[in-house]
């Protein structure tokens, strides 16, 4: 059973009145087909972004559930950009929480003599992000492209993956990212330039 199958089964088992009243059998089948078609690419995007398959699965499942619950009554043509906007929001939320946890843990590891009791622990601790070399060496099985993608700034990473992995056009990508089309073009061109340098094409 695929992730999308499991999700749709869970939705039915919940016996959500709103779901059962508002969705015809054909709508349900169309939503299942959509989710089945995007789940593998969505998982790859989340996996590259958070570098952990279990966390990526949770993020994708949550994004699917939110789309099914909140936007399944929207025209099917709108699902793709809506889904990827939800997915990117979930990825950013996860990364934000992870950064806060790492900073707070880092603050507690500082010796009492070094700790400024008046300082904000979040602001006082250096960013714990691993170096590029460390991140590349932690997962040697990742392709060069995926490794290079993981080093891009978040918005550049989003623009590149949505345009190339999912095939969204500029307008759809802008909707998914919650920004202007001009910003999408800027993030995308910077991502391509950086990737070409990282992969030795320049």
């Amino acid at each position: 059973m695929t992730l999308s199958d499991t999700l749709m089964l869970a939705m039915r088992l919940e016996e959500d009145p709103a779901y059962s009243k508002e969705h015809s059998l054909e709508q349900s089948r169309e939503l299942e087909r959509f989710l089945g078609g995007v789940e593998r690419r969505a998982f790859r995007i989340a996996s590259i972004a958070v570098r952990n398959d279990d966390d990526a699965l949770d993020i994708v499942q949550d994004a699917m559930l939110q789309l099914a619950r909140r936007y399944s009554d929207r025209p099917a043509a709108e699902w793709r950009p809506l889904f990827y906007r939800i997915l990117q929001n979930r990825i950013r939320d996860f990364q934000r929480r992870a950064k806060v946890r790492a900073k707070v843990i880092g603050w507690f590891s500082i010796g009492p003599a070094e700790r400024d009791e008046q300082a904000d622990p979040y602001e006082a601790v250096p960013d714990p992000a691993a170096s590029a070399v460390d991140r590349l060496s932690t997962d040697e099985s990742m392709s060069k492209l995926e490794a290079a993608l993981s080093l891009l700034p978040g918005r550049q990473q989003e623009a590149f993956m949505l345009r190339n992995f999912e095939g969204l056009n500029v307008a759809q990508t802008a909707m998914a990212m919650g920004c202007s089309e001009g910003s999408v073009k800027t993030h995308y061109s910077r991502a391509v330039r950086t990737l070409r340098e990282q992969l030795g094409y320049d």
Side-chain angles (χ1 to χ4, degrees):
M1 180 177 287
T2 66
L3 179 60
S4 58
D5 291 337
T6 303
L7 175 66
M8 297 308 295
L9 178 60
M11 290 281 297
R12 293 190 184 105
L13 291 176
E14 285 179 355
E15 297 180 353
D16 185 339
Y19 183 81
S20 60
K21 288 177 183 176
E22 296 176 9
H23 295 80
S24 68
L25 182 59
E26 183 53 36
Q27 284 174 311
S28 299
R29 288 176 177 166
E30 190 169 7
L31 184 60
E32 287 180 42
R33 286 193 294 270
F34 170 76
L35 294 176
V38 298
E39 66 179 297
R40 292 183 66 183
R41 292 189 298 275
F43 171 75
R44 179 52 80 196
I45 287 171
S47 180
I48 290 170
V50 304
R51 308 288 288 182
N52 182 285
D53 287 354
D54 290 336
D55 292 330
L57 280 172
D58 288 343
I59 288 168
V60 172
Q61 185 170 16
D62 187 46
M64 287 181 166
L65 191 59
Q66 289 301 313
L67 180 78
R69 285 179 168 166
R70 297 174 60 187
Y71 299 111
S72 57
D73 59 339
R74 300 283 285 272
E78 295 182 15
W79 288 344
R80 190 176 300 274
L82 284 168
F83 172 74
Y84 281 101
R85 183 169 191 171
I86 295 167
L87 180 70
Q88 294 300 337
N89 286 338
R90 293 296 177 271
I91 288 171
R92 282 195 290 272
D93 289 344
F94 175 88
Q95 292 170 330
R96 190 178 302 115
R97 289 193 302 269
K99 188 173 183 179
V100 170
R101 285 196 301 268
K103 285 212 169 195
V104 171
I105 290 169
W107 185 77
F108 282 114
S109 69
I110 297 173
E114 301 165 305
R115 188 184 301 141
D116 179 357
E117 297 298 336
Q118 302 302 314
D120 181 346
Y122 184 80
E123 297 297 331
V125 180
D127 192 331
S131 69
V133 174
D134 290 339
R135 280 180 284 182
L136 286 170
S137 65
T138 56
D139 190 357
E140 295 179 353
S141 66
M142 294 292 271
S143 70
K144 287 184 178 181
L145 175 60
E146 290 175 346
L149 273 170
S150 72
L151 303 178
L152 288 176
R155 299 296 271 175
Q156 292 181 29
Q157 189 183 95
E158 289 175 33
F160 184 88
M161 290 195 292
L162 290 174
R163 294 297 317 279
N164 290 283
F165 287 11
E166 190 51 35
L168 300 189
N169 61 32
V170 172
Q172 291 171 326
T173 303
M175 182 179 178
M177 293 177 63
C179 65
S180 69
E181 293 184 21
S183 292
V184 168
K185 293 175 182 178
T186 299
H187 291 311
Y188 182 75
S189 66
R190 289 176 180 171
V192 170
R193 184 166 59 249
T194 300
L195 289 172
R196 287 181 64 85
E197 291 171 357
Q198 291 285 337
L199 299 173
Y201 289 114
D202 281 345

